[in-house]
Amino acid sequence: FQLYGYCYQDSNDIPDTLTTITELGSPLEMIQLLQTSWEDRFRICLSLVRLLHYLAHSPLGSVTLLDFRPRQFVIVDGELKVTDLDDASIEESSCTSNSDCFMEFPARNFTLPCSVEGRCQNMNEKRNLYNAYRFFFTYLLPHSAPSSLRPLLDKIVNATGNCNKHGNAIYILFYPSPSVNSEFTQKCVKSANTKYRRVPEAFIPDENYRCWPSYHHKGCLLSVFDVNEAIEICDSYSQCKAFVLTNQTTWTGRQLVFFKMASNRIMPDPDKITYVKVTD
């Protein structure tokens, strides 16, 4: 979380008080997140993996978030950031045997090995990983994910849900992200038979219909790899009669496209290209 400033106060009225000024984020609402595109949800999970990796290798050592719940996080520019560090701990639990290294969760429990130094091995890191699984990955990753990425996502969800891999292994599964982005961005599309008339520097201001998932709550705004994918999407909706390519892209570089139910009124716009379905 970006820290802009802080003030330490020590007085008789308020002893040992630290006030921080941080960047502003939006509260995390899981129901709203599930209604966003998979691409945006993957970005949130990607930022969570970066956070987990940092917590496992922080300058203070391995840090665990004892109160690891969605309400402790906010969204800043599409990425997940933790805001409440009151319950952060760097203490690895002491032990004399493996039975002392018992992690209990509502759905399942884990027993970790006790090291020769008398510390539960990787307990802080494993606690963070499993909490990330049960609060985030299990909901945000598989839901409406691209079929080409299902095997990789299943591996990530299973690894965190079973606590059988370290954070470094999860980090490697997510990275290098360009390979994941490439699989998602370069989606294979079928060749379309429907013909479309290209109208450069044009936009259809009305004729919206709703679809899911959409980047626009009053219309059908989706991301595509190229015109062929836009044609495939338009052909898959019976109400779609045209689409408009914008000059906006998502964080992975996919182009945003408005899909329209008619093309009765076309307005000039130098930043957009309209494709109108040709009817026999």
Side-chain angles (χ1 to χ4, degrees):
F1 208 64
Q2 183 68 43
L3 178 68
Y4 291 126
Y6 63 91
C7 177
Y8 175 75
Q9 183 176 355
D10 187 8
S11 65
N12 293 331
D13 297 331
I14 311 176
D16 300 330
T17 298
L18 181 67
T19 302
T20 60
I21 303 171
T22 61
E23 60 186 325
L24 182 65
S26 302
L28 191 150
E29 299 290 343
M30 191 60 68
I31 294 179
Q32 292 181 4
L33 283 182
L34 290 173
Q35 295 173 346
T36 62
S37 69
W38 183 87
E39 194 175 2
D40 286 345
R41 283 183 273 121
F42 178 76
R43 184 182 185 183
I44 289 172
C45 291
L46 200 61
S47 59
L48 178 56
V49 167
R50 286 196 292 266
L51 172 63
L52 294 173
H53 189 264
Y54 176 80
L55 292 175
H57 303 88
S58 81
L60 299 176
S62 182
V63 179
T64 187
L65 301 179
L66 299 176
D67 191 11
F68 196 117
R69 284 180 288 180
R71 69 183 185 186
Q72 308 289 7
F73 297 85
V74 296
I75 302 294
V76 180
D77 295 330
E79 300 204 1
L80 191 72
K81 298 197 176 185
V82 64
T83 60
D84 191 348
L85 297 175
D86 290 347
D87 296 305
S89 173
I90 61 173
E91 294 295 328
E92 293 278 15
S93 300
S94 58
C95 58
T96 57
S97 65
N98 290 351
S99 60
D100 295 328
C101 302
F102 185 71
M103 291 197 306
E104 185 176 7
F105 296 97
R108 62 179 306 181
N109 305 319
F110 302 93
T111 299
L112 302 179
C114 179
S115 69
V116 294
E117 294 83 9
R119 296 288 177 181
C120 296
Q121 292 184 17
N122 304 307
M123 179 170 275
N124 286 349
E125 183 178 9
K126 291 296 183 74
R127 183 182 287 110
N128 289 339
L129 280 176
Y130 187 76
N131 280 326
Y133 156 80
R134 71 189 185 109
F135 286 119
F136 293 97
F137 295 153
T138 188
Y139 298 111
L140 301 182
L141 279 179
H143 184 54
S144 70
S147 57
S148 61
L149 295 179
R150 291 276 183 177
L152 174 63
L153 300 177
D154 289 343
K155 187 181 297 185
I156 292 171
V157 172
N158 290 335
T160 53
N162 294 324
C163 256
N164 58 5
K165 288 187 180 294
H166 296 304
N168 284 344
I170 306 301
Y171 189 82
I172 292 171
L173 285 174
F174 268 90
Y175 281 90
S177 58
S179 65
V180 176
N181 293 347
S182 177
E183 285 189 71
F184 177 59
T185 302
Q186 299 182 32
K187 177 182 175 184
C188 294
V189 297
K190 301 175 183 177
S191 58
N193 296 322
T194 310
K195 293 183 179 181
Y196 286 79
R197 176 169 57 90
R198 185 177 184 272
V199 185
E201 298 186 356
F203 178 66
I204 302 173
D206 305 310
E207 309 296 349
N208 291 314
Y209 67 89
R210 293 183 178 180
C211 67
W212 186 89
S214 174
Y215 287 91
H216 194 280
H217 68 282
K218 291 185 178 180
C220 187
L221 179 64
L222 303 174
S223 68
V224 302
F225 174 61
D226 58 12
V227 175
N228 289 329
E229 185 175 358
I231 291 174
E232 183 191 38
I233 292 174
C234 191
D235 285 346
S236 67
Y237 286 97
S238 59
Q239 64 267 54
C240 183
K241 304 301 179 186
F243 60 86
V244 180
L245 298 180
T246 72
N247 62 352
Q248 296 175 294
T249 59
T250 65
W251 68 282
T252 58
R254 287 168 62 87
Q255 193 169 11
L256 290 177
V257 176
F258 273 108
F259 293 88
K260 304 287 185 173
M261 61 192 304
S263 57
N264 298 325
R265 188 164 70 98
I266 298 179
M267 304 290 292
D269 190 322
D271 297 324
K272 296 179 178 64
I273 301 173
T274 292
Y275 284 78
V276 179
K277 186 179 292 187
V278 177
T279 56
D280 295 331

